[in-house]
Amino acid sequence: MPYALPPLHCALKMMSRKKALLLLLLALSTLSLLIHQSTHLNWSPKPSSPGCPPAPSSHPKHTSVAFLKTHKTAGTTVQNILFRFAEQHNVTVALPHHACDHQFCYPRNFSARFVHPHTLPPRIIASHLRFQRQELRRLMPNDTLYVTILREPIAMFESLFTYYNQYCSAFKRVPNGSMEAFLANPLAFYRPQEKFSMYAHNTLLYDLGGDNDHSPADPAYLPSFIRQMEEVFSLVMIAEYFDESLVLLRRLLSWDLEDMLYVKLNMRGPRSKGNVSSEALATRIRTWNGLDARLYDHFNATFWRKVAQAGRECVAEEVRALRRACEQLLRRCFGGRPQLRPATQIKNKELRPWQPSSKVDIVGYDLPPAVPGSGAPPDERCLKLAMPEVQYSRYMLRKQSLRTRRRAVLHRPLPPRGVPRPARALPLRHPAMPKAA
């Protein structure tokens, strides 16, 4: 029996059903894509409690910031926040000259000569340097706000001892790399005149431009130094209260809360962490680093006075909002809570953290592709979020150098009309000379 064609109205009905199904699938795909994209940063904070300022500030964002990046204090994470803000808002960041690597020729006193010319004039500076007030003021705009971060000296010294055990001669001299042996008699190993000796004694004070070997018995020195710091720094953050510190920083700079989102960077793996197991050892650390300990205690108290002035409940509410937004961002970038990996297991070389020595494991992150299963590169915003200091600094320098060269070409004077451009002379090549590779 020959195949009979369906009636016209039945065919139209079948086509309408297919079209409706196709439109439904298209709508679902579009909705999924919009949800996927919106989960990056477009989070909606809950309304602030009565009396608390709104999280998105009504004031213009302050874009001139000098962050004094101290050692082993979560400073790399703060630096990453500042770098990403600078990129988003097209703000120039001061970066070290090639001769200084990724630090401003630390441990030398900072000089404006250490700044790469392609990063001038800057509005943000956030790489390691030894504080030198006059040089920074000569470099940075008059409206610059100065910020730094401190860490509790016991945890900080343990981190310094492990991280710099192959750089600081005082640590290398210790038998079996024992922190207990060093602290039992520090002067048997410590030589103040050695290049990296500041990692072994009052490192915070040294980074801030002070005399880390000054006698703690001098009653006038540290109070005077603290007064000078308070004249310069609008905020001294505390690493142990990192999220609360970011809330105060956001308010100081009138930034949005989404500008402060982060993942922790430059962390050691479990086998690279020491253990300050006894109260006696902790006391020795604070005694040996007595100037740092008193400096920290002072600014820790100052920090909590600032929190009280801002309103403890308001700060706590904003901390909760910050953590929710960070979790949402991590889901967007990592598909959940990110897994820390040793550098050898990170496939993307742009995300492999620098390793200070074979005895220390600095862990980092690997990112899934932007579209699961596609092999496509990860979202650039997520890449920057997880990018270690060395790679991000080099990337920023390349980007700003390119911008500087483009501006130079645009502002290059043209020859007068009617005057022919001189012909470019071709280089002469000796017949016997090999061609350049």
Side-chain angles (χ1 to χ4, degrees), residues 407-418:
R407 285 175 181 168
V409 170
L410 289 173
H411 292 88
R412 183 181 298 164
L414 296 174
R417 295 184 65 180

Side-chain angles (χ1 to χ4, degrees), residues 152-205:
E152 196 283 316
I154 297 171
M156 180 179 169
F157 185 80
E158 181 278 319
S159 182
L160 287 164
F161 190 90
T162 305
Y163 194 90
Y164 293 110
N165 65 73
Q166 296 301 300
Y167 283 85
C168 178
S169 296
F171 297 156
K172 289 174 71 175
R173 291 189 185 96
V174 183
N176 301 318
S178 167
M179 185 168 61
E180 290 83 354
F182 176 86
L183 291 166
N185 188 10
L187 294 178
F189 310 103
Y190 178 68
R191 309 284 189 275
Q193 72 279 4
E194 292 175 336
K195 183 178 180 180
F196 294 117
S197 64
M198 68 283 160
Y199 292 138
H201 194 211
N202 290 316
T203 310
L204 286 175
L205 197 73

